[in-house]
Structure formats: C-alpha cells, structure tokens
Amino acid sequence: MENARRTQSVLTARRAGLVGCTTCGRVHARQAVTCRRCGSRLASRDTGSLQRVWAWLFAGMIAYIPANLYPMLVTSTFGKTQQNTIVGGVIELFDHGSWGVALIVFVASVLIPIGKFIAIAYLAVSARSAVVIRGHGRQHLYEVVEFIGRWSMIDVFVVAILAALVQLDFVATVHPGIAAASFALSVAFTMISAQNFDPRLLWDAYEADDT
Amino acid sequence: MTRIVMLAATAAVLMIAAIFFPFLELQVGGLSRKSSVFDAITAFSASGMLPLSIAVAALIVVLPFARLVAIAYALGPMALGWHPAPQAARAFRWAEATRPWAMAEIFIVGVAVALVKITGLAKVTPGPAFWAFAALVLVTVLKDSFMCRLTVWKTLEERSRS
Ligand SMILES: [Zn+2]
C-alpha cells in the first residue's frame, strides 16, 4: 500500500501518442480528428472544457435565484389564491405530515441543485491540481454529479401534473408560476455544465508527478 | 442484442398507449376530471409558458420515444444477424448522447409526489396510461442495464466491415 500514492508510471493514452474516443472507447493515433468507429470528434483533452463549464454553471446559478423567489405554484381554492415557492411547498408538505415526500422534494429541489453547484465548482477549480481528494474521489464525485443532476426536474413535473389535473373551475385550480420555468432552466444549465466537464483533466496532475 | 431490441419495441408500444389513454382521474364531490400525459404537457402553455411546455414534451415523450426508435434501428438488423443499417452508428451515437435528457422515470416519481400533494384535496385514481407509463419506465431501465455500449460499438464496427 505504500506505493499506492505513486503508482508505477501509468501509461496514459496521451503519453503513448494516442487518443481515446469518449463515446465508444476506441483508441486512435494522435492525429485522428474523428472516430472511425462511431464518428465522434476526438480530442486528447478538451481544452475549452473548463471555460464552458464555468459559463453554464453561472447561468445555472443565476436562474436558480428567481426560481426560489417567485412562486412555483399558484393555487386557488374557492376563490382564495395561494402562492407557493419551492421551499414553501416543502414546508407545507411537512405540515401535512407527509415527511417522506417533503424530503424527496427538498432533496431534489434544494439539496441537489446547491450541492451540484458546489461540486462542479470544486471539480473545475481543482481540475489541474493534485489536491486533498485524490483522483478516484474526484472521479466518483463527477460521476455522481452527472447521474443525479437530472432528478432535480421532479418538481417541474409535479407542477405540470398538478396544473393539468387540478382544473375544477371554482373548487380548485392550480397554475404554474414563473419559478417553474426558471427552475427548469437552472437544472438544464447545470446539466450542460456537468456534461462539458472533461474528467480526463482530473488525472493530468498525476501524470506530471510521476515522470 | 435480441433482448434489447425486443425491449425497445415493447417500450415504444407502451409509450403510445401511455400518451393517449387517461393517465389520472381526479374526483372531488361530484366533479371529476381525467387527464392524460398530453394534458400535463399543455398545462404550461395555458399559463403563457409555451417554451416550458415544449421542453417538458421533449423530455418525457419525444426524446425517450426517439431514442427507442434509434436504438431499435441501430441494433435491430444486428440482432437478426444482418449488416447494420446505413447510419446505424450515427443513430446509436445520438441515442447515447441524449440519454441524460430522457426523463420518463423522473416524471413517474413526479407523479407520485403530485398524488401525495393532492390526496388531502381529492380522490385520485390512476388510469390505464399510468400503468403503461410505469411499465415503460421499468422496461427502459431493464434495457439500459442489459445494454453494454462498448460491446454494441464493437459489434457495429465488426459487422459493417465484413
Ligand atoms: Zn468513437
């Protein structure tokens, strides 16, 4: 285990003068531009990656602000109108005693988005350095972020379903609020941000330390 | 390979059923209302959020369906032992690239949450489309777990060369 930190010089594709396809895994000579197997574009490292990650991440963060300030749902029952923000909706579910569902909504619309902002920013900042969390840890973090981000869309779908279903004229009607749109945008932007991240960057720092 | 194609075909049929049959039925006193998935999609456009409506439609219906077609197109001929169809690689690459954006399974969880939210208000009964949609999600998850993309790419390449 003592050698675990400094592995016996791992041969990376880049050092071997090769480039791997991120879509299908086929390996090509360094000069290849498109993959012969699947037709994807090839690049040993995606050089513009971090810039795009930051741009989409900021767009996502900005869209997340109105998503929390404006109402997500506008409910009217017997003429009374009530507006609910994301957090307001969670609190209401909690009051009703639906703990489990309150938790799902809270995790999907608050914890995951904010956790994602932090995780992506951390990966982007630390990409080129060998920091506290070693390569494997950060690779896992990246995979988790990519997998979990889409689940934030739950709340948007909930609003859509409620608005479609609860249209009982006078008794009760539900309309979606502006927050639904900005929340959906926020989730989409952060997903794009995560997809633009080139995880190979995480490993480059180690390549430098064992040569 | 055959199994994946079968599952993709099953999912496509379920999808069609899921869209047009009533999805949920809501009852309050004497009033009742049936909604289909289609209504959920148009819900946003009624409130002046047409772009969001289109996005929801794309995420829960159009993309998942198009992916199924693309996968069946790319893998179908191979399952029968034929040469891959022209552009099969492109179709499969597209299906892979859009995978994170096909959110049918997330929609189902959303339905569950929505049901809990209105149980206090009204009685809700899931319609036939609800079960079709739930089955669809199950089939899609199964299909994705059977499918090894590296094997698919390898086979695609070998078959198209010979
Ligand atoms: Zn490739």
Side-chain angles (χ1 to χ4, degrees), chain A residues 20-26 28 34-42, chain B residues 93 153:
Chain A
C21 173
T22 48
T23 308
C24 71
R26 197 184 195 292
H28 295 268
T34 48
C35 178
R36 247 181 303 150
R37 184 193 269 170
C38 72
S40 303
R41 284 218 279 147
L42 296 172
Chain B
R93 182 156 57 97
W153 280 119

Side-chain angles (χ1 to χ4, degrees), chain B:
Chain B
M1 206 70 78
T2 323
R3 209 161 30 169
I4 298 166
V5 176
M6 299 276 279
L7 286 174
T10 317
V13 174
L14 285 172
M15 189 97 193
I16 293 167
I19 296 171
F20 296 105
F21 284 110
F23 192 67
L24 293 169
E25 192 177 353
L26 178 75
Q27 287 167 317
V28 189
L31 290 167
S32 90
R33 182 179 160 82
K34 281 182 186 161
S35 343
S36 62
V37 175
F38 192 73
D39 293 324
I41 291 165
T42 48
F44 285 117
S45 62
S47 310
M49 285 190 261
L50 186 65
L52 192 54
S53 226
I54 295 170
V56 170
L59 295 178
I60 63 175
V61 177
V62 181
L63 267 181
F65 190 70
R67 282 193 68 225
L68 291 173
V69 173
I71 289 172
Y73 177 79
L75 303 190
M78 287 204 290
L80 299 170
W82 299 342
H83 284 290
Q87 301 292 328
R90 175 177 293 210
F92 189 64
R93 182 156 57 97
W94 182 83
E96 282 290 302
T98 51
R99 184 165 54 179
W101 298 98
M103 300 189 179
E105 74 272 30
I106 298 169
F107 181 70
I108 279 290
V109 178
V111 171
V113 173
L115 289 183
V116 173
K117 274 197 166 184
I118 44 179
T119 39
L121 189 74
K123 188 174 173 294
V124 183
T125 345
F130 176 81
W131 302 114
F133 212 86
L136 167 76
V137 169
L138 199 73
V139 169
T140 313
V141 170
L142 268 180
K143 182 200 69 186
D144 282 344
S145 64
F146 279 143
M147 190 163 70
C148 168
R149 61 193 185 97
L150 293 187
T151 314
V152 170
W153 280 119
K154 227 171 165 174
T155 323
L156 261 177
E157 188 179 44
E158 278 159 11
R159 294 278 175 79
S160 50
R161 208 185 280 143
S162 55

